[in-house]
Amino acid sequence: MKKIFISILILLSLAIASIVPFFKSVVIEDGKTGKSLAFFDAKQGSEFSIEYIHSIHKTPVREIYQVHNEEILQTEMRFQEFGVGMPSGADEGEVFAQKGENYILSNMKRTFPSLDIRIGQIIANHTLLLKGHEYPFSGLSEKGSWVSIKVDNLNIWQRLIGGKKLG
């Protein structure tokens, strides 16, 4: 009887541990359905970037982000041309500089609960840069679709069925 009780207690503990979300991750979801497409492990301060080709001036733009509590913190932006959607200077506390062909806006402290991205169909080629690897968003979802990126805590089951593990 004691062995049955211990076995039930162990199984119950494993079941509870498998549904408790304690793996901090950055999750990429389908913007319409909320279905998880991919994720990567994240700690406080973990960094990732999103790079794309600007649709009007057709030059690369890189936005650099960090995991900040349960939000996404934009820390830097690099681009080569001024134009629609590009900053023309720094906000309070930010630093605007030019290095070679690049303009760099750094010391940014802009937080977002999530990032919504419409995957470019022709030019943009939105790409996630993570730990030296490149992951085109078009490899996770169709061109022209909408993805949402957010910080979330996942449980074991969500990690097993939550899309492609990146990084």
Side-chain angles (χ1 to χ4, degrees):
M1 191 64 146
K2 187 175 183 180
K3 288 183 182 181
I4 293 173
F5 177 73
I6 290 173
S7 297
I8 291 171
L9 190 60
I10 290 172
L11 288 173
L12 187 59
S13 297
L14 289 173
I16 289 171
S18 69
I19 61 172
V20 174
F22 58 90
F23 294 102
K24 185 174 247 182
S25 304
V26 173
V27 180
I28 302 167
E29 297 179 339
D30 180 284
K32 288 184 181 177
T33 67
K35 178 185 176 202
S36 182
L37 303 170
F39 68 93
F40 58 91
D41 295 331
K43 296 177 184 160
Q44 180 76 1
S46 294
E47 189 174 279
F48 65 95
S49 300
I50 297 174
E51 191 169 82
Y52 58 93
I53 302 300
H54 193 278
S55 62
I56 295 173
H57 47 78
K58 298 179 180 40
T59 58
V61 177
R62 180 178 292 184
E63 298 175 348
I64 301 167
Y65 299 95
Q66 287 182 357
V67 172
H68 181 71
N69 300 323
E70 302 303 317
E71 293 186 308
I72 297 171
L73 173 71
Q74 185 177 15
T75 60
E76 190 172 298
M77 179 181 234
R78 298 172 181 228
F79 56 97
Q80 294 177 353
E81 296 274 337
F82 290 104
V84 177
M86 296 291 99
S88 59
D91 286 343
E92 187 176 332
E94 297 176 345
V95 177
F96 193 82
Q98 182 177 5
K99 270 191 180 175
E101 296 180 347
N102 291 307
Y103 297 102
I104 301 170
L105 181 58
S106 60
N107 202 37
M108 297 171 72
K109 292 180 173 64
R110 301 177 187 180
T111 58
F112 305 93
S114 64
L115 300 174
D116 291 326
I117 298 173
R118 178 77 59 182
I119 299 173
Q121 296 183 46
I122 300 169
I123 296 170
N125 192 29
H126 289 91
T127 303
L128 173 71
L129 307 175
L130 177 66
K131 299 178 183 175
H133 298 295
E134 296 183 3
Y135 302 97
F137 284 99
S138 61
L140 302 173
S141 189
E142 293 180 27
K143 290 182 176 184
S145 65
W146 159 38
V147 295
S148 185
I149 303 169
K150 66 180 184 176
V151 178
D152 202 359
N153 292 313
L154 303 179
N155 63 40
I156 291 171
W157 297 117
Q158 290 169 315
R159 288 176 57 90
L160 289 174
I161 62 171
K164 182 178 182 179
K165 184 175 187 312
L166 306 176

